Amino acid sequence: MRHRVQWVIIYQMPENFNRSIDSFEGLVDLFYPHIVKSFMRDIFTPIFLSVLAALFLIDAIAVNPFIFTPLAVVVFVFYLILFYFKKYRLAYAVVVLSMVLLLSGSFLKQKDAFERDREIALPLDIYITIRGTLLAYPEIGNDSSQLLLLTQSFHWPGQKINRSLNVRINCRGDCRNFNRGDRVEAAVRIQPQHLNKNFYPNPYEKYLLYKKLNLTGYTKSTQLLRVTARANIFWRLIGAWRERIREKIEAHYLKNGRLQPPGVFLEATILGDRGRLENSTQEELIAGGVFHLLAISGANIGMLALFSLLLCRWLHVPLKPRYFITSLLLLLFLVISGFDISAQRAVLMGLLLFVARAYFMDVQLSNVISFCGLLLLVLNPAQVLDPGYILTFALTATLLIGRRIFLPLLKRLPRYAAELLTANFSASLLALPLSLYFFQRYSFSGFFSGLLLVPLAGAVTICGAGLLFLAPLPLGVAQLALLPARILLVVFFTISRWFFDHLALSIFRPSPPLLLLASIGLLFYAISLEKIKIKFKFLPGFFMLGLFVVISLPPQPYRPGQLEVYFLDVGHGDAELAVFPGGDALLIDAGGASFSDFQTGRRCVLPFIIQKKIRVRWTAVSHYHPDHVKGIAEIIGILQPEELWISSEAVDDEFFRQLLAAKPKKTILRKIQRGFVKDISGCSISCLSPPRFIQAEQAENNHSMVLRVSDGRASFLFGGDIEKSVEAELADTFGSGLASTVLKVPHHGSRTSSSARFLDSVQPRLAIISVPAYSSYGFPNAEVINRLKQRNIRWLSTARSGGIRIASLPDGLGIEVSK
């Protein structure tokens, strides 16, 4: 029996208080004996899991953030009482509750402060001067650089605001001469953070929060940036060291001004910089299931640490110095990487583990992982919204649990082979629901390719660690690291490309419910419990397999009973989707950011298509300006449509070339012009312009394809960016034949379009303007709005309404908006 100490009560406590506590502890001992016996060895895991569950719940509901702190104080007082009376298990439960309350309150306060900071009133139509300090080394792209600035003040004619905000600046040009810690002055045009709403939660809003990005902006040239005070000697030395590494990589892999994929791989895994990654390479690695290797991940850090420990062991270095040397190597790697966030997580876990091992502590790996996760949440509670954060800890836990399941089944294999298969199978298994939840896609080929490519990526990381020390030396000496890395990378990309070409088993599915993910995790954990006999493990295994099948099978496609047209909210750009009765769909343009690396097609259009379960069979590009075609180039390889429709060529236009390069081989390129007609499920699509296929050097607004979609009850006219001259030609040619129920207003409501004669010919009942909340071009123009009002034409804009759905119904139009 458990010995109980008699209480010496200084002040009167109710008897039923003691009795209720004793009863509750008895229930805990009865139903959860293994938890009671082991929780002191793993005290942080229950806290970590409870905090994660609470933060996910709190994020979904509206709660006053300021009630949590007093609640946490009350709970802490209750803890002191329990601890005084030696009710340690209940005291521990109260500690868990206290941590949940504290971090929940901190998370909500961070959200509240972030929302307030975003409301700062700054001019959006002029360049303003921003002064501040660089928080990171610039990310170097092919044509531009990304800078992260902690501001001190904002200046524009007659105004000044002193405010500390995080601003990400896209700068045309190469900013590698700037260092972390530099104080700079920049002429920047602030971009409104347009949070697109398209009938599904926008992950970009969460991205801004956990990245702490209050504002974004762009500047046309590095000439508009000026260093007012250099960083301290430490950051300048590290910056020079990074550039020597970059120079050595570029000496091998820079061709025609573009860094080749192996060079991008080295920059990503050593410097934490993926700015020069091309879309085609990114898609190849994602489809092959190994895109996560193109970053500083736990696997990279783990391989580097393992190599260092084995090398020290081979050199007969004592245990504690062995861990000390490896810790220094990991810290150096972290500093050179520019404190990449994924490197921070992996290095922190490694250092905590080394400290525990070095002092012969009884280490519970899950305890170390959970403590690391809690510490990072204390620093930034919004990290719980970061897919990278969740994947890091979820997959690390999966590897630990998977060892208990799969290693006994593979005990006849050599230890290394068994560990590799166990890690790969465990990670691939649980990556399926997690990848679908966060990214709506998963590649089954990752299981096979990972067996070959994970060790190769680890070996490349080890070579890269050698480059850390050899980079300051002449190029010939640096070859000692670059030559083996070059051979390994040739093999890596050869295998990756083969998987992409022959075994790209990718699926795209709507995000499974969070409850389903939790169920899979619990079932996986239940299978690993040693106390459960093998014959009883088949039941949770069967249920888990059933859940995998449910989320992997193709969902029933969306099959409306009528013609539906969606005008998607993509900021400045066009993206329209016509869904015909039966479910076949035509995608017309997909937006695209002109002055940003934001992938509108991947981040706005594709998630909508997947979540809505729409089957896109045809895509059409009105013309090759980036706000129309860039998004199509990003996602056409994923959608794999049967046909791509174009009505012009622009042989010297880079976006036209990008589109052709991205087009899948099996997608037919169909050149259309006036007279083209296609019938689909009782509806018709006709091309009204251009009169003939256009062959040009550069894209122009008047090259836009004009399409008319009709089901006999309602008709929709899509005019791209045509201007008044083409509008006049259409009015002359078709007259009243242009009449359409809904008009997609040409050129975002520019004064160069939507002429009076054109509107009189179309006679729309409703006009849709695709435009951001703030347009630097002044769209929609007041003259256009006046012409619509004069004709009693109702109009909606994506700026005000978000995504717009219009259904053709027997009694009129069914209209739904997402804002």
Side-chain angles (χ1 to χ4, degrees):
M1 291 182 62
R2 185 174 54 200
H3 175 69
R4 293 193 178 277
V5 179
Q6 296 297 323
W7 294 349
V8 178
I9 304 179
I10 300 177
Y11 51 91
Q12 186 66 36
M13 294 287 293
E15 283 188 19
N16 58 355
F17 178 77
N18 300 341
R19 194 177 302 115
S20 63
I21 291 179
D22 291 342
S23 301
F24 183 80
E25 288 191 332
L27 287 173
V28 171
D29 285 347
L30 178 63
F31 291 107
Y32 303 105
H34 61 285
I35 294 178
V36 172
K37 292 176 182 177
S38 64
F39 84 91
M40 285 304 294
R41 293 181 61 237
D42 195 3
I43 61 174
F44 291 110
T45 297
I47 301 176
F48 184 46
L49 293 177
S50 300
V51 167
L52 286 179
L55 291 181
F56 272 110
L57 178 63
I58 288 295
D59 181 54
I61 59 178
V63 185
N64 187 340
F66 300 102
I67 67 173
F68 285 89
T69 301
L71 280 176
V73 172
V74 171
V75 170
F76 183 72
V77 172
F78 189 49
Y79 157 76
L80 293 176
I81 296 172
L82 291 171
F83 188 83
Y84 177 80
F85 290 111
K86 295 183 172 58
K87 297 299 179 179
Y88 298 123
R89 298 187 193 92
L90 273 180
Y92 173 75
V94 172
V95 168
V96 175
L97 179 59
S98 180
M99 286 296 296
V100 166
L101 291 171
L102 284 172
L103 285 175
S104 296
S106 180
F107 171 68
L108 289 172
K109 288 178 183 177
Q110 182 178 344
K111 286 182 67 174
D112 189 64
F114 181 78
E115 290 298 326
R116 288 199 308 270
D117 288 338
R118 284 178 54 203
E119 294 174 359
I120 180 173
L122 295 173
L124 303 176
D125 54 350
I126 61 172
Y127 274 83
I128 66 175
T129 300
I130 301 178
R131 292 174 184 154
T133 304
L134 289 180
L135 292 175
Y137 292 103
E139 182 178 84
I140 309 301
N142 287 317
D143 304 306
S144 62
S145 302
Q146 296 282 342
L147 297 92
L148 182 60
L149 193 67
L150 176 62
T151 66
Q152 290 154 352
S153 61
F154 300 83
H155 304 257
W156 65 95
Q159 293 286 336
K160 177 184 177 182
I161 295 179
N162 294 318
R163 195 75 172 269
S164 179
L165 299 174
N166 290 341
V167 180
R168 185 175 62 186
I169 302 171
N170 182 283
C171 176
R172 292 286 182 181
D174 195 315
C175 295
R176 67 179 66 196
N177 59 320
F178 290 87
N179 289 305
R180 180 179 183 141
D182 282 348
R183 297 187 67 181
V184 301
E185 182 178 278
V188 176
R189 195 163 185 170
I190 296 297
Q191 293 176 304
Q193 293 181 344
H194 182 75
L195 300 177
N196 312 83
K197 301 290 186 180
N198 286 308
F199 305 103
Y200 71 93
N202 186 350
Y204 187 55
E205 187 169 3
K206 295 181 178 180
Y207 170 82
L208 294 173
L209 177 59
Y210 67 73
K211 286 291 187 181
K212 298 182 178 181
L213 291 176
N214 302 106
L215 296 170
T216 58
Y218 71 91
T219 186
K220 293 181 178 179
S221 169
T222 56
Q223 301 298 316
L224 299 177
L225 300 175
R226 182 173 67 90
V227 176
T228 58
R230 284 290 178 186
N232 60 46
I233 186 65
F234 175 78
W235 293 121
R236 294 206 304 271
L237 285 174
I238 296 301
W241 199 340
R242 285 169 55 89
E243 287 316 304
R244 293 302 296 270
I245 294 172
R246 199 188 300 273
E247 289 170 6
K248 296 299 187 295
I249 294 172
E250 289 179 345
H252 278 268
Y253 295 111
L254 193 65
K255 295 181 180 178
N256 300 321
R258 298 279 171 172
L259 193 65
Q260 301 303 299
V264 175
F265 189 101
L266 286 171
E267 283 196 351
T269 53
I270 300 173
L271 303 178
D273 191 341
R274 293 193 297 196
R276 294 198 266 189
L277 178 64
E278 300 281 359
N279 280 340
S280 56
T281 304
Q282 177 175 323
E283 181 56 33
E284 176 184 311
L285 295 171
I286 292 174
V290 291
F291 179 68
H292 62 283
L293 298 177
L294 198 72
I296 301 174
S297 64
N300 300 108
I301 300 297
M303 290 290 286
L304 183 60
L306 181 62
F307 174 79
S308 175
L309 292 172
L310 291 175
L311 181 61
C312 290
R313 183 178 179 182
W314 181 69
L315 295 173
H316 302 289
V317 177
L319 182 67
K320 289 186 179 180
R322 191 186 309 169
Y323 284 127
F324 181 72
I325 292 170
T326 303
S327 298
L328 288 180
L329 177 61
L330 295 187
L331 287 172
L332 174 63
F333 198 85
L334 177 62
V335 171
I336 295 298
S337 74
F339 289 89
D340 181 86
I341 186 62
S342 58
Q344 289 182 37
R345 292 191 286 258
V347 170
L348 179 59
M349 281 191 282
L351 295 181
L352 290 173
L353 183 60
F354 293 160
V355 170
R357 292 291 192 192
Y359 290 93
F360 305 102
M361 295 171 63
D362 185 10
V363 179
Q364 188 85 358
L365 289 178
S366 58
N367 207 28
V368 174
I369 296 167
S370 299
F371 177 76
C372 176
L374 281 170
L375 183 59
L376 291 171
L377 285 178
V378 169
L379 298 175
N380 179 12
Q383 279 192 85
V384 75
L385 305 176
D386 181 3
Y389 176 87
I390 298 298
L391 287 169
T392 293
F393 292 101
L395 293 180
T396 303
T398 296
L399 296 180
L400 298 179
I401 296 171
R403 293 182 81 252
R404 300 204 299 262
I405 299 174
F406 300 115
L407 275 183
L409 303 176
L410 302 173
K411 57 186 177 182
R412 294 186 179 181
L413 295 177
R415 184 70 178 185
Y416 172 80
E419 289 282 5
L420 179 62
L421 283 170
T422 293
N424 193 59
F425 190 69
S426 301
S428 299
L429 198 65
L430 268 294
L432 169 60
L434 289 170
S435 296
L436 292 181
Y437 180 79
F438 288 113
F439 312 116
Q440 297 85 49
R441 75 177 296 178
Y442 178 73
S443 175
F444 287 99
S445 61
F447 172 72
F448 306 103
S449 60
L451 290 172
L452 301 171
L453 298 182
V454 169
L456 282 172
V460 171
T461 301
I462 292 169
C463 293
L467 192 60
L468 296 181
F469 303 101
L470 299 176
L473 302 176
L475 181 61
V477 180
Q479 290 278 8
L480 295 174
L482 280 172
L483 183 59
R486 188 168 193 168
I487 296 170
L488 291 169
L489 285 168
V490 168
V491 177
F492 180 95
F493 280 97
T494 300
I495 296 173
S496 172
R497 199 162 294 113
W498 186 89
F499 274 98
F500 177 69
D501 292 335
H502 301 93
L503 203 65
L505 306 176
S506 294
I507 60 171
F508 297 87
R509 302 289 183 264
S511 298
L514 191 59
L515 182 61
L516 188 145
L517 262 68
S519 301
I520 290 175
L522 289 173
L523 289 170
F524 191 64
Y525 176 74
I527 296 171
S528 72
L529 293 176
E530 296 177 356
K531 293 190 175 184
I532 298 180
K533 295 181 180 179
I534 293 193
K535 62 180 180 180
F536 295 120
K537 292 186 178 184
F538 285 104
L539 186 60
F542 176 78
F543 278 117
M544 190 171 72
L545 180 62
L547 292 177
F548 282 142
V549 171
V550 167
I551 63 177
S552 300
L553 289 175
Q556 282 293 325
Y558 181 59
R559 299 181 186 278
Q562 65 281 322
L563 173 64
E564 295 183 356
V565 176
Y566 293 87
F567 299 85
L568 299 184
D569 178 15
V570 293
H572 179 77
D574 274 5
E576 294 90 34
L577 197 68
V579 186
F580 302 97
D584 294 336
L586 165 67
L587 175 64
I588 306 171
D589 295 338
S594 303
F595 302 103
S596 168
D597 63 341
F598 182 73
Q599 294 181 312
T600 305
R602 285 179 179 271
R603 299 293 179 88
C604 296
V605 179
L606 183 63
F608 169 77
I609 292 172
I610 293 172
Q611 299 286 19
K612 192 68 176 177
K613 306 173 188 176
I614 293 174
R615 181 177 64 245
V616 175
R617 291 187 59 187
W618 309 278
T619 56
V621 176
S622 63
H623 63 302
Y624 307 113
H625 287 168
D627 56 321
H628 294 255
V629 69
K630 199 174 175 184
I632 291 285
E634 292 166 8
I635 64 176
I636 191 171
I638 299 170
L639 296 177
Q640 299 279 323
E642 294 176 10
E643 296 179 355
L644 169 62
W645 300 350
I646 62 174
S647 59
S648 64
E649 290 180 342
V651 293
D652 292 336
D653 194 298
E654 66 168 302
F655 295 108
F656 175 67
R657 293 195 296 267
Q658 287 179 13
L659 175 67
L660 294 186
K663 183 187 75 68
K665 293 180 181 178
K666 71 175 187 179
T667 298
I668 299 171
L669 183 67
R670 187 173 298 281
K671 299 178 179 180
I672 69 172
Q673 59 191 34
R674 181 177 295 166
F676 170 83
V677 177
K678 187 174 184 67
D679 295 323
I680 305 168
S681 303
C683 303
S684 66
I685 306 172
S686 54
C687 178
L688 307 185
S689 187
R692 63 191 62 82
F693 188 81
I694 298 172
Q695 294 179 320
E697 294 180 353
Q698 295 290 335
E700 296 181 9
N701 287 334
N702 279 332
H703 294 172
S704 294
M705 176 193 303
V706 178
L707 293 176
R708 187 173 185 272
V709 177
S710 175
D711 67 347
R713 289 194 302 250
S715 52
F716 299 79
L717 188 63
F718 306 94
D721 282 353
I722 59 171
E723 298 179 353
K724 292 179 180 179
S725 60
V726 174
E727 290 180 351
E729 193 273 335
L730 286 169
D732 288 340
T733 303
F734 294 98
S736 60
L738 276 181
S740 301
T741 315
V742 179
L743 169 67
K744 198 288 294 182
V745 173
H747 201 193
H748 321 287
S750 163
R751 65 188 300 271
T752 63
S753 305
S754 302
S755 60
R757 185 179 176 199
F758 179 71
L759 292 177
D760 290 338
S761 296
V762 179
Q763 298 180 0
R765 290 168 48 193
L766 177 65
I768 306 296
I769 305 175
S770 184
V771 68
Y774 173 81
S775 170
S776 59
Y777 300 100
F779 298 155
N781 186 269
E783 293 181 19
V784 172
I785 300 301
N786 286 334
R787 284 198 288 270
L788 294 175
K789 290 180 178 179
Q790 289 168 4
R791 289 160 178 79
N792 295 319
I793 300 172
R794 181 185 175 190
W795 63 278
L796 296 173
S797 73
T798 55
R800 295 180 179 180
S801 304
I804 301 167
R805 169 187 172 270
I806 302 177
S808 173
L809 303 175
D811 56 349
L813 298 177
I815 302 173
E816 180 184 0
V817 299
S818 58
K819 279 189 179 179

